[in-house]
Amino acid sequence: MRQLAAYEAKKAELAALGATIYAASVDSLEQAQEVGQRGFTFPLAYGMTREEAEVFGAWWDSGRGFIQPAEFLLGRGGVVLGSMYASGPVGRMEADEAVQLITTRERRRREQQTRTP
C-alpha cells in the first residue's frame, strides 16, 4: 500500500511530465475495491492471470500463485525505458525515482532534438 500511496502523491507531478500511472494485481474485484477505497485515483487492474503476467514480462510465482512485484516505465510507443523486478518489498522503483528518471530522459531528449539538424 505504501508504494501505491507514494505514486498517488506524485500523480500530479508525473502527469506534468506526461506520465500516467496504472497498477495491476492478482487481487479479486472485492480486494481491488478495498484498495480503491483508500483514495487511489489511478486505474487498478485486478484478477491478473499468469498469461497476462507473461504479456507484461513479469515473473509469475507458481508456488504462491501470483505475480512478483514488477514496475515498468514505458516511453512513447510502448518502449520499455526502465523496469524493476523484486521478490519482496526491497528493490522496487520508488515514485521519486520514476520522476527523476522521466525528468532526466525528457531533458536528454530535448537536448538531442536541439542538436539534431
Side-chain angles (χ1 to χ4, degrees):
M1 258 345 129
R2 182 190 64 77
Q3 191 83 7
L4 295 177
Y7 275 93
E8 182 66 38
K10 293 287 182 180
K11 186 177 176 187
E13 191 172 350
L14 286 161
L17 293 168
T20 306
I21 304 164
Y22 298 95
S25 172
V26 298
D27 288 347
S28 67
L29 172 59
E30 293 77 22
Q31 291 167 314
Q33 287 172 330
E34 288 177 24
V35 170
Q37 292 172 356
R38 295 178 183 247
F40 301 121
T41 59
F42 47 84
L44 174 62
Y46 62 90
M48 297 294 295
T49 65
R50 179 182 194 142
E51 292 76 23
E52 290 165 328
E54 290 172 0
V55 169
F56 279 105
W59 177 58
W60 182 268
D61 186 331
S62 296
R64 296 189 278 176
F66 64 83
I67 302 169
Q68 286 292 348
E71 290 94 21
F72 302 95
L73 185 58
L74 304 178
R76 292 170 181 82
V79 174
V80 177
L81 302 176
S83 61
M84 298 287 290
Y85 299 87
S87 58
V90 177
R92 296 186 183 182
M93 186 183 308
E94 297 292 336
D96 288 333
E97 293 170 324
V99 168
Q100 182 179 358
L101 180 59
I102 295 168
T103 301
T104 301
R105 177 91 177 168
E106 285 301 300
R107 185 186 75 245
R108 288 180 183 158
R109 185 182 62 79
R110 286 190 302 273
E111 289 170 357
Q112 187 175 36
Q113 285 179 333
T114 58
R115 283 186 256 143
T116 304

